[in-house]
């Protein structure tokens, strides 16, 4: 039918209209992806529809671009823990984000709504992060709505702020450590650990938003 499909090596949220990944056939979870790659996670966060290769096969059979059927869509991404993959709280996250983004675009909910999972989360990366590469983590965190703290001093300054201590800032501080075994604290020196501990001691007991 002279219909052309352009395949991109890298995902571009502004150009990519469809992502393709295989489904997990080992579980009974409907619409669960088999793998959780960087591209698939970015597509999910951008609200880009994700379908299985069955869609391509159907297009080839009919020799034209066809609309994906309900069973061709990916609605959930796998978790690291197989037990969590079947927990109701982790299911249909992909579909939920897409629906919420659509509601923002159509004006059903305000644009400042917490649609992305890491909105109001401030993250400092501790360590070198060879695998996965630090650049991949930073990209994924930003597209998840997180704010990346450029240095340990900036992260500690957040903990020391009056609004954070009173638990009125609405922000959560996360220190994300690499998996290096080079030191006991995985990217956090003993001196830095002491600064962090000292800063959070003055936080509200209503719930210290430090991870």
């Amino acid at each position: 039918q002279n219909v052309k499909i352009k395949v991109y090596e890298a995902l571009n949220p502004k150009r990519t209209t469809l992502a393709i990944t295989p489904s997990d056939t080992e579980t009974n979870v409907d619409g669960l992806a088999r793998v959780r790659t960087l591209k698939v996670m970015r597509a999910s966060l951008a609200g880009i529809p994700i379908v299985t290769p069955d869609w391509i096969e159907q297009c080839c059979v009919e020799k034209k671009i066809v609309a994906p059927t309900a069973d061709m869509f990916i609605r959930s991404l796998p978790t690291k823990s197989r037990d969590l993959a079947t927990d109701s709280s982790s299911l249909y996250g992909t579909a939920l984000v897409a629906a919420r983004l659509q509601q923002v675009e159509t004006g059903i909910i305000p644009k400042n709504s917490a649609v992305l999972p890491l909105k109001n989360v401030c993250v400092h990366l501790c360590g070198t992060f060879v695998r996965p590469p630090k650049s991949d983590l930073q990209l994924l965190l930003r597209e998840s709505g997180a704010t990346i703290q450029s240095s340990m001093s900036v992260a500690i300054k957040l903990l020391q702020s009056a609004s954070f201590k009173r638990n009125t800032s609405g922000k959560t501080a996360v220190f994300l450590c690499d998996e290096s075994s080079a030191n006991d604290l995985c990217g956090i020196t003993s001196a830095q650990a002491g600064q962090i501990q000292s800063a959070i001691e003055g936080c509200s007991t209503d719930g210290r938003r430090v991870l």
Side-chain angles (χ1 to χ4, degrees), residues 172-188:
T172 297
V174 175
F175 292 85
L176 185 59
C177 301
D178 61 20
E179 297 181 354
S180 172
S181 58
N183 59 68
D184 294 336
L185 297 173
C186 297
I188 300 180

Side-chain angles (χ1 to χ4, degrees), residues 94-158:
T94 295
L96 178 60
V97 170
R100 297 276 289 176
L101 288 172
Q102 183 65 26
Q103 289 177 326
V104 170
E105 290 180 5
T106 56
I108 296 177
I109 60 177
K111 289 187 176 181
N112 60 350
S113 299
V115 175
L116 296 176
L118 297 184
K119 185 177 175 65
N120 295 326
V121 176
C122 300
V123 181
H124 176 62
L125 300 176
C126 308
T128 55
F129 289 96
V130 178
R131 286 190 176 185
K134 194 171 187 177
S135 58
D136 286 357
L137 279 175
Q138 290 173 327
L139 178 62
L140 192 60
L141 286 168
R142 289 193 182 97
E143 293 184 355
S144 299
T147 298
I148 298 177
Q149 306 287 45
S150 58
S151 65
M152 179 64 79
S153 60
V154 172
I156 292 176
K157 188 175 181 180
L158 169 66

